[in-house]
Amino acid sequence: MLLELSGITKRFKNGTKYQEILENLDLRIYEGDSIAIKGKSGCGKSTLLNILGGLLPFDEGEMLFKSRNISTLTVNEQAEYRRKNVGFVTQNFHLLDDRNVYDNIALPLQYLRLPKKLVKSMVESVLYDLEIEHIMKRHISTLSGGERQRVAIARAIVKKPAILLADEPTGSLDEETEEFILKIFDKLHQKGMTFVIVTHDDTVSSHCQHIYELHHKKLRLFRGVASEINSLKDEPLVL
Ligand SMILES: Nc1ncnc2c1ncn2[C@@H]1O[C@H](COP(=O)(O)OP(=O)(O)OP(=O)(O)O)[C@@H](O)[C@H]1O
Ligand SMILES: [Mg+2]
């Protein structure tokens, strides 16, 4: 098992009141899994993803990564966990606006202190895969939303993380680019990468093995949604 969440409860303090977002939530993620998470706006999807990525503490429960308890690690050890294992495509990308595309993608590899030559070849390979070589020298502030999204995906996958967490990764892409990104995700999945993708898009979730809905502070499994969608297409229309 790659990640195991048991009894996770998360509250935010808003003014003097506590708002409970997740309550006693359980989730098991095995190596090579691909998981889609759906749910209404504000139900806590990004909160859950931030917890999975070790970016946000929680109030109750336990999270184990390869049997290691993440919540008992020091701040530095948690940062190390993220750097080594987690690729993150956040909802607002978190790219460095005043740097160029190349530097943004190279950053996670520099944190890992990899040799310069290796960094260059890994960045070039992902620039090529995502068909963004032509914009590698451009500053992020000059890019369109869809271009930024592709750069954010490139930065998240460049170190070939054990787990890729993606918050609406195709939200501002046209259909053709979305299909292209999904093909890249499929390829990475075939190579064994584990995915958790927050998405409202049925095309994206139909590429995942497991589809959950975050509802009433917990996850519930949508069994066979992908296959239902596919089988519906093949069903003759009976009126
Ligand atoms: N740092 C914070 N402090 C206080 N409240 C927060 C904080 N972050 C999130 N919330 C609240 O927690 C709830 C869940 O937020 P979250 O961003 O996880 O929702 P979401 O499911 O990702 O929504 P969306 O689909 O709109 O992105 C919301 O009510 C939000 O206002
Ligand atoms: Mg969100």
Side-chain angles (χ1 to χ4, degrees), residues 2 4 29 66 102 110 128 138 157 160 186 196:
L2 190 66
E4 184 174 11
I29 305 174
K66 292 184 177 168
Y102 182 96
Q110 285 157 355
Y128 173 81
R138 297 255 303 271
I157 62 177
K160 301 189 174 68
D186 283 347
V196 181

Side-chain angles (χ1 to χ4, degrees), residues 45-47 91 167-168 198:
K45 303 179 297 297
S46 298
T47 302
Q91 221 168 353
D167 208 343
E168 294 284 1
V198 166

Side-chain angles (χ1 to χ4, degrees), residues 12 14 19 21 40-47 91 200:
F12 283 119
N14 282 319
Q19 185 190 5
I21 307 297
K40 288 191 181 142
S41 178
C43 72
K45 303 179 297 297
S46 298
T47 302
Q91 221 168 353
H200 288 107

